[in-house]
């Protein structure tokens, strides 16, 4: 049985509150209770949850819906790797979340900003524990250098970050 191995170990602590988060926009405050992978750059929130994988995926979808987000794509990475590479790994899904209000604002500012859509949230199991992770929209869009895009992305991050925190 093949198995994916990672070097990162979980460590606790609260990062953020504006320190080292350049390009994150005004009001970025970090997320209490979030964990970071060792050696990971601060490009995502990561939270260990008490629920199992399937329950967590369902809860993330519910919370997204409450906030006006839909799931445009759902990629079961573990199943894909098994099918294409005969690689066994613990459950792992990438959910592509989108809110038409915010997406239309972004595309209205810069038509090419659609390359950053949808926003990716991951739910996965590592060493028997379930995690929820969110790619930070402002961090991804920071390469554009467009303050208008970053302002909208910061609003999206606040909503999605709160969802991760609630799970």
């Amino acid at each position: 049985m093949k198995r994916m191995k990672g070097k990162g170990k979980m460590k606790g602590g609260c990062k953020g509150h504006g320190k080292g988060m350049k390009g994150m926009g005004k009001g970025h405050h970090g997320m209490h209770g979030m964990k970071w992978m060792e050696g990971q750059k601060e490009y995502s929130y990561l939270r260990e949850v008490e629920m199992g994988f399937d329950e967590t995926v369902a809860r993330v979808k519910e919370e997204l819906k409450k906030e006006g987000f839909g799931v445009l794509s759902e990629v079961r990475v573990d199943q894909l790797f098994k099918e294409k590479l005969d690689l066994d790994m613990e459950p792992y899904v990438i959910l592509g979340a989108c809110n038409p209000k915010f997406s239309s604002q972004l595309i209205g500012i810069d038509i090419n900003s659609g390359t950053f859509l949808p926003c990716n949230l991951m739910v996965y199991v590592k060493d028997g524990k379930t995690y929820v992770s969110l790619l930070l929209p402002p961090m991804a869009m920071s390469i554009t250098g467009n303050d208008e895009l970053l302002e909208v992305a910061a609003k999206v991050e606040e909503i999605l970050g709160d969802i991760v925190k609630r799970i």
Side-chain angles (χ1 to χ4, degrees):
M1 176 192 264
K2 295 179 187 174
R3 183 175 155 94
M4 291 188 68
K5 295 183 180 182
K7 294 180 181 179
K9 292 184 179 179
M10 297 303 295
K11 66 179 182 179
C14 179
K15 299 197 176 196
H17 301 288
K19 295 179 183 176
M21 300 296 280
K22 293 179 181 153
M24 298 309 289
K26 282 186 174 181
H28 178 79
H29 61 275
M31 296 295 292
H32 290 277
M34 299 295 164
K35 295 182 177 183
W36 302 90
M37 295 297 288
E38 191 173 312
Q40 171 185 350
K41 300 229 184 257
E42 295 176 2
Y43 60 84
S44 66
Y45 292 135
L46 177 62
R47 181 161 188 269
E48 182 181 340
V49 296
E50 297 298 320
M51 296 176 277
F53 177 80
D54 291 330
E55 186 179 355
T56 302
V57 171
R59 180 86 184 278
V60 168
K61 289 178 181 179
E62 282 175 31
E63 294 297 325
L64 285 167
K65 189 174 183 180
K66 287 179 190 175
E67 297 293 342
F69 284 79
V71 175
L72 300 181
S73 60
E74 184 170 338
V75 180
R76 279 299 302 261
V77 176
D78 57 321
Q79 293 173 358
L80 181 68
F81 285 3
K82 180 64 178 173
E83 179 185 323
K84 302 291 184 184
L85 304 171
D86 195 30
L87 178 67
D88 292 317
M89 65 180 288
E90 294 177 293
Y92 191 115
V93 66
I94 301 170
L95 301 173
C98 187
N99 178 304
K101 174 186 158 193
F102 293 117
S103 297
S104 65
Q105 288 175 13
L106 292 167
I107 290 172
I109 294 166
D110 178 351
I111 197 159
N112 291 311
S113 66
T115 59
F116 296 101
L117 303 175
C119 295
N120 287 323
L121 291 106
M122 285 67 59
V123 178
Y124 61 88
V125 176
K126 180 175 178 176
D127 299 327
K129 297 177 183 176
T130 304
Y131 297 91
V132 178
S133 180
L134 164 68
L135 173 65
L136 303 177
M139 183 61 77
M141 288 192 171
S142 68
I143 63 172
T144 67
N146 185 320
D147 288 339
E148 285 183 273
L149 289 177
L150 292 175
E151 206 172 293
V152 176
K155 291 175 189 172
V156 172
E157 177 189 348
E158 185 176 330
I159 295 166
L160 295 178
D162 284 344
I163 289 172
V164 172
K165 189 176 178 183
R166 288 194 306 255
I167 301 299

